Amino acid sequence: MMRQSTAPRQQYDAAIRRLTALAPLEAPDISALQAAIGQARVVPARRELLQEGRAIPEPLLIVEGWAARVRILIDGRRQFLSFLLPGEMVGLCRHGQPLAVSTVVALTDMTVARVPDCAPDSALAESLAVSIALEEAYLLAQIARLGRLNAQERIGDLLLELHERLSLSQIATGGSFEVPLTQEVLADAVGLTPVHVNRMIQLLRREGLLAWKGRRVSLRAEETLARMVGRSPVRVVGQTAVPSAA
Amino acid sequence: MMRQSTAPRQQYDAAIRRLTALAPLEAPDISALQAAIGQARVVPARRELLQEGRAIPEPLLIVEGWAARVRILIDGRRQFLSFLLPGEMVGLCRHGQPLAVSTVVALTDMTVARVPDCAPDSALAESLAVSIALEEAYLLAQIARLGRLNAQERIGDLLLELHERLSLSQIATGGSFEVPLTQEVLADAVGLTPVHVNRMIQLLRREGLLAWKGRRVSLRAEETLARMVGRSPVRVVGQTAVPSAA
DNA sequence: CGCTGTCTTGAAACATCTCAACCTAGGTGG
DNA sequence: CCACCTAGGTTGAGATGTTTCAAGACAGCG
């Protein structure tokens, strides 16, 4: 519970780094963000931030930790629709009386802040709009992944995407990053069985494409892996959204 | 080619009926829409309306015909990400210099109109916002479908969704509607093989849940089918978006 | 130390794919 | 008007990928 509040200040900047990467923010926007983040609150793992079909209380900015959009079928089958990472938004929506179209659950302990109000044509507004566009792009990628990739490709492709997204906030550097995912959660994200996910990860390991120890994932031969699953980076604006770091 | 221009005027109203169902439009909005529709242009089947990674020229309203968002993998595998039906929008996006995140291709000959400009708090703006929210909901439904439903369920669920969406514009009535889909296209939408789609459709037929002759689909025992695939209607605003018709 | 959750392994069952052939209806050109 | 041609639908048999179930190993934590 208290863990978050003792985290180094530096870590709280991931969200700002991401939003600045999406549209170059100026001082006023940044201080508004910092103010909002200063009042961030903690959400424990497994807590639901939004419930499908219920009203959306207020849009949130993820400062730290992971969440996921999830759908549970009546017979208990579970599908994670998307992951939500630091610097990304929960429940941004712009029509009146909005209902959540999916439940959102915290995968880890999280820190979340209110999204500050901003003028319609500010850089922050642009950044949020790009963020929304990216979110849609990630949903489309998830559809193609589930529809047309085989088990190994799905896992490789998802890990590449997570790396790309974490690179935006510079949480991931040089092909290595922390994922708070059990193989069971991963299975429910890529539409497979935990057992089969396990076997495919081992296969990727044996092929030297992946190291996964504890929560740390390292992508070896990122290029090879990307070519193997036929993946190209997600873009929604003129320049590539991913900084050329690494 | 000329077919569209000789279609009964009535048919052109489907788009307006849908938008009115999403938010009650007043006279000025409706006449703006009618003006835009009056200047609609025809797009032949197979033509691309948007290309992934290229700039979005202008948002379009589908007046008649079907389109689909599609992604093609380097090795030729194809995945339809979503279908776009009359009354729905193509390329609505609100950040500067937007790039299309997916290619959009006409599945049939189509009629498309410009989306009229509207005041930020007009009923039309609200209707468009709800339409965007619905589009997201449909993407999420597609993810759950591909990730956690088996072949038969995927097909049943998709047909139920199409029926629900076509009901919004009152194109579908009483469980029966026209789909301009070959089994091959359907296969690429539900992530299966055409051969397997064929077998599953026959299975649904034998079970008395479905009649499919030519382009006309009739859902029998809609309730049973919905229960079988564990489906509930998509909602993004306070009331159910689907008129209680039939 | 003994839980408990997570990862790992094996063997058999099952769902879906592949390939190849055939059928049918509609449209076109001779 | 027929003969062909094509796109789409249908069928069968075997191969493959993924799931299921059940059991064991491992690690972190109270």
Side-chain angles (χ1 to χ4, degrees), chain B residues 16 22 25 48 50 57 73 105 124 126 150 153 160 186-187 193 204 207 212 221 231-232 244:
Chain B
I16 293 181
L22 301 190
L25 301 186
E48 292 185 350
L50 248 49
L73 309 190
V105 63
L124 180 53
E126 170 74 4
N150 65 30
E153 291 168 330
L160 284 168
L186 181 54
T193 288
L204 286 167
E207 293 174 329
W212 190 326
R231 167 160 238 281
S232 49
S244 55

Side-chain angles (χ1 to χ4, degrees), chain B:
Chain B
M1 289 296 192
M2 297 302 292
R3 257 177 57 217
Q4 308 306 340
S5 50
T6 59
R9 178 116 227 115
Q10 168 65 10
Q11 200 154 344
Y12 283 6
D13 291 338
I16 293 181
R17 286 198 300 270
R18 176 173 187 268
L19 292 173
T20 304
L22 301 190
L25 301 186
E26 304 287 336
D29 282 336
I30 290 181
S31 48
L33 278 170
Q34 282 170 333
I37 292 173
Q39 301 191 278
R41 65 177 215 269
V42 169
V43 176
R46 294 166 179 276
R47 169 83 42 94
E48 292 185 350
L49 292 127
L50 248 49
Q51 289 186 299
E52 184 174 340
R54 305 205 51 194
I56 299 175
E58 62 173 0
L60 298 174
L61 169 66
I62 300 178
V63 178
E64 202 186 358
W66 287 34
R69 308 179 74 169
V70 65
R71 187 153 294 172
I72 310 279
L73 309 190
I74 18 59
D75 62 359
R77 282 178 283 184
R78 177 174 70 168
Q79 176 67 43
F80 286 110
L81 306 166
S82 69
F83 293 116
L84 300 169
L85 315 184
E88 300 183 348
M89 248 65 59
V90 178
L92 259 200
C93 175
R94 73 280 308 302
H95 65 278
Q97 42 161 328
L99 299 188
V101 291
S102 72
T103 296
V104 174
V105 63
L107 291 177
T108 65
D109 291 341
M110 304 179 68
T111 311
V112 300
R114 286 196 53 183
V115 177
D117 299 321
C118 57
D121 51 359
S122 63
L124 180 53
E126 170 74 4
S127 183
L128 297 181
V130 171
S131 190
I132 290 173
L134 273 175
E135 188 179 353
E136 180 183 12
Y138 297 140
L139 291 183
L140 297 182
Q142 170 81 333
I143 291 173
R145 187 150 51 224
L146 295 176
R148 280 293 172 243
L149 299 193
N150 65 30
Q152 200 189 1
E153 291 168 330
R154 287 187 208 178
I155 294 169
D157 185 68
L158 176 58
L159 292 176
L160 284 168
E161 180 187 299
L162 291 174
H163 177 253
E164 183 183 312
R165 287 164 68 177
L166 291 171
S167 296
L168 266 182
S169 51
Q170 297 167 39
I171 291 176
T173 55
S176 178
F177 52 103
E178 302 271 326
V179 291
L181 304 175
T182 65
Q183 292 183 359
E184 189 184 359
V185 169
L186 181 54
D188 282 341
V190 294
L192 297 168
T193 288
V195 173
H196 201 56
V197 163
N198 180 283
R199 294 196 231 264
M200 292 302 106
I201 288 176
Q202 291 177 58
L203 186 53
L204 286 167
R205 278 204 269 249
R206 258 178 270 127
E207 293 174 329
L209 294 167
L210 177 67
W212 190 326
K213 181 79 180 161
R215 338 202 93 179
R216 177 152 288 270
V217 169
S218 301
L219 303 179
R220 322 281 190 196
E222 214 177 314
E223 276 305 314
T224 310
L225 187 54
R227 217 169 318 107
M228 224 185 67
V229 306
R231 167 160 238 281
S232 49
V234 172
R235 291 164 35 137
V236 297
V237 292
Q239 304 76 16
T240 204
V242 181
S244 55

Side-chain angles (χ1 to χ4, degrees), chain A residues 18-67:
Chain A
R18 175 173 188 270
L19 291 174
T20 304
L22 300 189
L25 301 187
E26 305 287 337
D29 281 337
I30 290 182
S31 47
L33 277 170
Q34 283 170 332
I37 291 173
Q39 299 191 277
R41 65 176 215 270
V42 168
V43 176
R46 296 167 176 277
R47 169 85 39 98
E48 291 184 350
L49 292 120
L50 247 49
Q51 289 186 301
E52 183 174 341
R54 304 205 51 195
I56 299 174
E58 61 174 2
L60 297 174
L61 169 66
I62 299 177
V63 177
E64 203 186 356
W66 286 35

Side-chain angles (χ1 to χ4, degrees), chain A residues 1-234:
Chain A
M1 291 294 194
M2 297 301 292
R3 258 177 58 216
Q4 308 305 340
S5 49
T6 60
R9 178 114 228 115
Q10 168 66 9
Q11 200 154 343
Y12 283 6
D13 290 340
I16 293 181
R17 285 199 300 272
R18 175 173 188 270
L19 291 174
T20 304
L22 300 189
L25 301 187
E26 305 287 337
D29 281 337
I30 290 182
S31 47
L33 277 170
Q34 283 170 332
I37 291 173
Q39 299 191 277
R41 65 176 215 270
V42 168
V43 176
R46 296 167 176 277
R47 169 85 39 98
E48 291 184 350
L49 292 120
L50 247 49
Q51 289 186 301
E52 183 174 341
R54 304 205 51 195
I56 299 174
E58 61 174 2
L60 297 174
L61 169 66
I62 299 177
V63 177
E64 203 186 356
W66 286 35
R69 308 179 75 168
V70 65
R71 188 153 293 174
I72 310 278
L73 308 191
I74 16 60
D75 62 358
R77 282 178 284 183
R78 178 175 68 170
Q79 177 67 42
F80 286 110
L81 307 165
S82 69
F83 293 115
L84 300 169
L85 314 183
E88 300 183 349
M89 249 65 59
V90 178
L92 260 200
C93 176
R94 69 275 311 300
H95 66 278
Q97 43 158 331
L99 298 188
V101 290
S102 73
T103 296
V104 174
V105 63
L107 292 177
T108 65
D109 292 341
M110 304 179 68
T111 311
V112 300
R114 287 196 51 181
V115 177
D117 298 322
C118 56
D121 51 358
S122 63
L124 180 54
E126 171 74 4
S127 183
L128 297 181
V130 171
S131 190
I132 289 173
L134 273 174
E135 189 179 352
E136 181 183 12
Y138 298 140
L139 292 183
L140 297 182
Q142 170 79 334
I143 292 172
R145 187 149 52 225
L146 295 175
R148 280 295 172 241
L149 300 192
N150 65 28
Q152 200 188 4
E153 292 168 329
R154 287 187 209 179
I155 294 170
D157 184 68
L158 177 57
L159 291 176
L160 284 167
E161 180 188 301
L162 290 174
H163 177 254
E164 182 183 313
R165 287 164 67 176
L166 291 171
S167 296
L168 266 182
S169 52
Q170 297 167 39
I171 291 176
T173 54
S176 178
F177 53 103
E178 303 271 326
V179 291
L181 304 176
T182 64
Q183 293 183 359
E184 190 184 358
V185 169
L186 182 55
D188 282 341
V190 293
L192 297 167
T193 288
V195 173
H196 200 56
V197 163
N198 181 281
R199 294 194 231 265
M200 292 301 106
I201 289 175
Q202 293 177 56
L203 187 53
L204 286 167
R205 278 203 270 248
R206 258 178 271 129
E207 293 174 328
L209 295 167
L210 176 68
W212 189 328
K213 180 81 180 160
R215 337 202 94 178
R216 179 153 287 270
V217 170
S218 300
L219 303 179
R220 322 280 190 196
E222 214 178 314
E223 275 305 313
T224 311
L225 186 54
R227 217 169 318 107
M228 223 185 67
V229 306
R231 168 162 238 281
S232 50
V234 172

